[in-house]
Amino acid sequence: MTRMSPMGIVLAFCGFSALAQTPAEVTLTRLDCGNGVTSSDIAFFSDTNAYDGKKQELVVSCYLIKHGDDYLIWDTGYPAAVAGATATGPTAKFNLVEQLARVNVKPEQIKFVGVSHYHGDHIGQAGSFPQATLLIGKGDWDALTSTPPPPGANPAPVKHWISGGGKFEAVPRDKDIFGDGTVRMLDMPGHTPGHHSLLVRLKEKGNVLLTGDLAHFRENYDSNGVPVFNTNRADTLASLDRFKQMAKNLNATVIVQHDPRDIEKLPALPGSAK
């Protein structure tokens, strides 16, 4: 019998491990979850009066991440009831289920619904994917299930999971969603207690960081602006510092999800970044 040397055993084991942990192919697609609207006064996006009387166009964007044969929806926009409607606020031209149909993805194929935080323009259509596991920051989950919920926290869109009808995970810190480092929820509290951003590692485009509502437009991101409605100023600034350090170290493309200038960095449906 041929014996393998200790070094050979190590090399063989390392080769096996590398093979076993080969990341799946990942793609990232931008979805339309709210048409652009120009806010006539964005003063409330700064607690230092940086934007008094200024205007800013904002959009609502959601994202489809394909990981091998599995799918993750990141943020779910406004409720489907307002999708396509004419209203004073931003609305989506098509709801998420209709958009996914364009790339032959059915609601039951969505394995995870990840939400950056509990505000209505980010969890509105979560209920369209009842078979999915809901991933939400623990601080936000605690707020949604408290009696009564705090201002701005509407539990109705995720009542399916609150009532025990579906699987969920209240994420306390960072989470490696698929276990291979390609898609990570990042603990970035401050906007809400359990706010998270998302890192997606793509083979061709490289690293992409989705802000959630860590910042709402480029100028606020660049200046470390803190909206008056954030739940914790110190946490917001700490999260911005961590996020920017990660963006620098990973040479990442930063997508400020509400800024129409930023979301154009990613292809819209049916295209995808790889």
Side-chain angles (χ1 to χ4, degrees):
M1 182 176 66
T2 302
R3 288 191 173 186
M4 186 178 293
S5 68
M7 181 58 70
I9 293 173
V10 170
L11 291 174
F13 177 79
C14 290
F16 174 78
S17 297
L19 179 63
Q21 296 176 12
T22 300
E25 182 179 355
V26 179
T27 63
L28 174 62
T29 299
R30 170 170 55 90
L31 305 172
D32 173 17
C33 284
N35 296 339
V37 61
T38 300
S39 178
S40 59
D41 187 352
I42 57 171
F44 50 86
F45 285 110
S46 169
D47 64 2
T48 59
N49 299 96
Y51 305 113
D52 290 2
K54 295 184 179 181
K55 298 180 180 180
Q56 177 66 45
E57 183 182 3
L58 301 173
V59 296
V60 179
S61 57
C62 306
Y63 299 86
L64 174 68
I65 295 98
K66 185 176 187 293
H67 178 276
D69 294 327
D70 295 323
Y71 291 94
L72 160 72
I73 291 283
W74 176 251
D75 283 339
T76 65
Y78 281 101
V82 302
T86 300
T88 56
T91 59
K93 295 178 181 178
F94 304 99
N95 66 44
L96 283 177
V97 172
E98 293 169 333
Q99 293 183 67
L100 293 176
R102 293 181 57 193
V103 288
N104 299 314
V105 176
K106 299 177 181 179
E108 55 268 26
Q109 291 178 265
I110 303 300
K111 184 174 184 177
F112 298 109
V113 169
V115 295
S116 59
H117 64 293
Y118 58 50
H119 286 153
D121 56 333
H122 291 261
I123 65 171
Q125 295 181 59
S128 297
F129 309 99
Q131 295 93 344
T133 297
L134 176 70
L135 302 176
I136 184 171
K138 185 179 186 304
D140 280 19
W141 179 260
D142 291 345
L144 288 172
T145 55
S146 63
T147 306
N154 178 13
V158 292
K159 63 181 181 181
H160 170 70
W161 292 273
I162 292 175
S163 67
K167 297 180 181 178
F168 75 91
E169 182 175 346
V171 180
R173 300 288 297 180
D174 291 359
K175 179 176 175 60
D176 184 351
I177 294 176
F178 295 103
D180 60 3
T182 56
V183 186
R184 289 172 55 202
M185 284 180 69
L186 304 173
D187 185 29
M188 298 284 174
H191 181 63
T192 60
H195 180 274
H196 278 68
S197 301
L198 193 73
L199 169 65
V200 183
R201 293 178 177 268
L202 300 173
K203 185 175 181 180
E204 296 178 11
K205 189 173 181 64
N207 299 313
V208 178
L209 282 166
L210 303 175
T211 58
D213 275 7
L214 181 63
H216 294 78
F217 47 93
R218 286 184 190 174
E219 292 78 5
N220 229 17
Y221 176 79
D222 292 340
S223 65
N224 289 348
V226 180
V228 298
F229 49 85
N230 278 21
T231 58
N232 190 296
R233 190 176 207 278
D235 284 351
T236 300
L237 293 174
S239 292
L240 280 163
D241 179 68
R242 182 194 180 204
F243 187 95
K244 290 183 177 183
Q245 289 295 326
M246 291 186 70
K248 178 182 178 181
N249 293 336
L250 296 172
N251 191 27
T253 299
V254 172
I255 309 295
V256 180
Q257 291 183 212
H258 279 299
D259 194 319
R261 298 166 295 181
D262 263 36
I263 67 170
E264 293 296 332
K265 297 174 185 175
L266 294 174
L269 203 71
S272 61
K274 300 180 180 180

